């Protein structure tokens, strides 16, 4: 059982060290900077939303593409040799602005189809194929840091990249919106359905990315588990209750046969968890 204090890989600072840091007036590490920001919020120099965004910016510098990518199994794709006229129903159904173009299967992404290109060309010639109008694909490794990716998105004016594994196969995709959401929170648009939310994404046979907002009842149904839901409705609430403090990135909690690792959290709530099944 936790003693109520967040675990740390570093020993607590001595009184002399803290006084020295205070007198210097400068943060000595990231934790010092976070303490200053949180104290500023407590003194009403920052509002809670501004603090959460600043914390998000700092977390983005530590996170990697694999932490937020949409898995390959959930990508909405179009075949390279499909005629433009045949894919209109799919484009209308999902209302995305960009679609990965595949050659043989989802592991082989050869281009990107922009919805605006589809509309422009299909009005002139519906017999054209996807490969005639697709654009080059932007590829990034799973290990790329999010702050580096965001800079590349801005400088290269890209909005989506295909994430590849060590063998060069597509492992998923990531968009500029996915990165920005780590800073400002969920970005809703007119096509989002408030009643439909993907709480659990499978990464491998025994590894998943799970939203902290996942209802415990839904988690239990998905994994045939029996986590208690008497006091808390969501997984995030249960994690906080077990730790007895708001967790930090990297903290782990074991519940039954499940090991949860905090991927993203701020001073108000837990956002994202990595799950490994024992």
């Amino acid at each position: 059982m936790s003693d109520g204090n967040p675990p740390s890989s570093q020993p607590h600072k001595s009184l002399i060290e803290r006084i020295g840091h205070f007198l210097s007036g400068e943060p000595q590490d990231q934790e010092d900077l976070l303490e200053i920001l949180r104290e500023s919020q407590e003194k009403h120099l920052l509002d809670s939303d501004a603090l959460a965004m600043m914390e998000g910016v700092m977390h983005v510098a530590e996170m990697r593409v694999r932490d937020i990518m949409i898995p390959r199994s959930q990508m909405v794709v179009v075949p390279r040799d499909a005629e433009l006229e045949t894919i209109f129903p799919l484009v209308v159904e999902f209302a995305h602005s960009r679609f990965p173009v595949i050659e043989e299967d989802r592991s082989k992404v050869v281009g990107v189809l922009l919805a605006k290109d589809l509309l422009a060309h299909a009005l002139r010639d519906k017999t054209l194929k996807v490969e005639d109008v697709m654009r080059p694909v932007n590829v990034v490794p799973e290990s790329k840091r999010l702050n580096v990716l965001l800079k590349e998105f801005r400088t290269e004016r890209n909005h989506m990249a295909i994430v590849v594994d060590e063998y060069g196969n597509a492992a998923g995709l990531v968009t500029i919106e996915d990165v920005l959401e780590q800073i400002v929170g969920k970005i809703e648009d007119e096509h989002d359905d408030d009643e439909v939310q993907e709480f659990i994404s499978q990464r491998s046979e025994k590894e998943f990315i799970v939203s902290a907002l996942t209802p415990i009842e839904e988690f239990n149904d998905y994994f045939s588990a029996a986590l208690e839901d008497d006091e808390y409705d969501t997984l995030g609430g249960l994690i906080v209750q077990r730790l007895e403090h708001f967790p930090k990135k990297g903290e782990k909690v074991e519940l039954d046969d499940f090991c949860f690792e905090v991927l993203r959290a701020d001073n108000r709530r837990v956002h994202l968890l990595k799950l490994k099944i024992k």
Side-chain angles (χ1 to χ4, degrees):
M1 178 65 69
S2 170
D3 60 4
N5 294 320
S8 174
S9 58
Q10 298 179 347
H12 292 294
K13 295 174 183 173
S14 68
L15 178 60
I16 299 299
E17 287 178 312
R18 295 183 66 85
I19 292 175
H21 290 170
F22 176 78
L23 293 176
S24 71
E26 297 179 355
Q28 303 300 308
D29 52 34
Q30 188 176 97
E31 188 56 37
D32 274 354
L33 180 56
L34 284 172
E35 286 182 13
I36 292 173
L37 292 173
R38 289 165 183 161
E39 289 174 3
S40 298
Q41 192 266 334
E42 291 173 0
K43 295 176 182 179
H44 305 291
L45 299 176
L46 292 173
D47 62 30
S48 57
D49 289 334
L51 175 60
M53 283 191 285
M54 291 180 181
E55 290 181 330
V57 169
M58 297 175 71
H59 289 317
V60 160
E62 300 174 344
M63 298 176 69
R64 298 183 185 274
V65 171
R66 67 170 68 95
D67 297 326
I68 68 166
M69 71 178 186
I70 298 170
R72 179 173 66 197
S73 61
Q74 296 179 21
M75 296 191 313
V76 181
V77 301
V78 296
R80 177 176 187 166
D81 58 357
E83 292 186 354
L84 299 187
E85 186 177 22
T86 65
I87 64 172
F88 268 109
L90 179 141
V91 172
V92 171
E93 178 184 357
F94 290 96
H96 295 327
S97 59
R98 292 165 174 80
F99 296 84
V101 179
I102 62 172
E103 190 164 30
E104 296 177 2
D105 57 52
R106 291 171 183 267
S107 67
K108 297 180 180 178
V109 177
V110 295
V112 175
L113 175 67
L114 272 59
K116 65 179 183 180
D117 291 344
L118 170 66
L119 180 61
H121 288 87
L123 289 175
R124 292 197 299 267
D125 185 356
K126 293 183 179 180
T127 64
L128 288 174
K129 294 185 177 181
V130 170
E131 62 185 350
D132 297 323
V133 300
M134 69 181 186
R135 300 196 183 193
V137 61
N138 181 32
V139 175
V140 298
E142 293 179 296
S143 59
K144 184 179 287 289
R145 292 188 180 276
L146 293 190
N147 60 326
V148 177
L149 176 63
L150 181 58
K151 183 177 181 180
E152 290 179 357
F153 273 148
R154 292 181 59 201
T155 56
E156 298 172 10
R157 305 178 74 175
N158 282 321
H159 289 252
M160 185 178 79
I162 298 300
V163 185
V164 295
D165 60 21
E166 58 185 313
Y167 304 106
N169 295 322
L173 68 81
V174 63
T175 69
I176 191 171
E177 182 178 289
D178 295 326
V179 182
L180 292 176
E181 284 183 346
Q182 305 308 309
I183 300 173
V184 302
K186 178 66 178 176
I187 301 173
E188 304 284 354
D189 63 32
E190 65 272 21
H191 301 296
D192 288 331
D193 187 340
D194 292 335
E195 296 181 356
V196 178
Q197 183 170 356
E198 192 69 36
F199 290 113
I200 302 169
S201 299
Q202 186 168 4
R203 294 278 305 281
S204 65
E205 183 180 355
K206 292 191 175 183
E207 185 174 302
F208 299 79
I209 300 298
V210 184
S211 167
L213 294 176
T214 304
I216 297 175
E217 182 178 359
E218 182 170 326
F219 180 92
N220 286 339
D221 289 342
Y222 189 98
F223 292 101
S224 299
L227 299 185
E228 296 180 3
D229 59 356
D230 296 335
E231 296 184 40
Y232 295 91
D233 296 325
T234 67
L235 203 55
L238 181 60
I239 297 296
V240 172
Q241 185 267 336
R242 289 301 177 94
L243 286 173
E244 296 186 338
H245 63 261
F246 277 104
K248 298 179 181 179
K249 181 180 181 294
E251 288 194 66
K252 296 181 179 180
V253 176
E254 292 191 3
L255 300 173
D256 296 339
D257 293 329
F258 307 103
C259 179
F260 297 94
E261 179 182 345
V262 178
L263 289 181
R264 187 186 172 211
D266 55 37
N267 64 323
R268 294 178 296 170
R269 61 185 181 274
V270 184
H271 295 277
L272 200 63
L273 301 162
K274 179 189 292 184
L275 166 65
K276 288 187 177 181
I277 301 177
K278 299 177 184 177

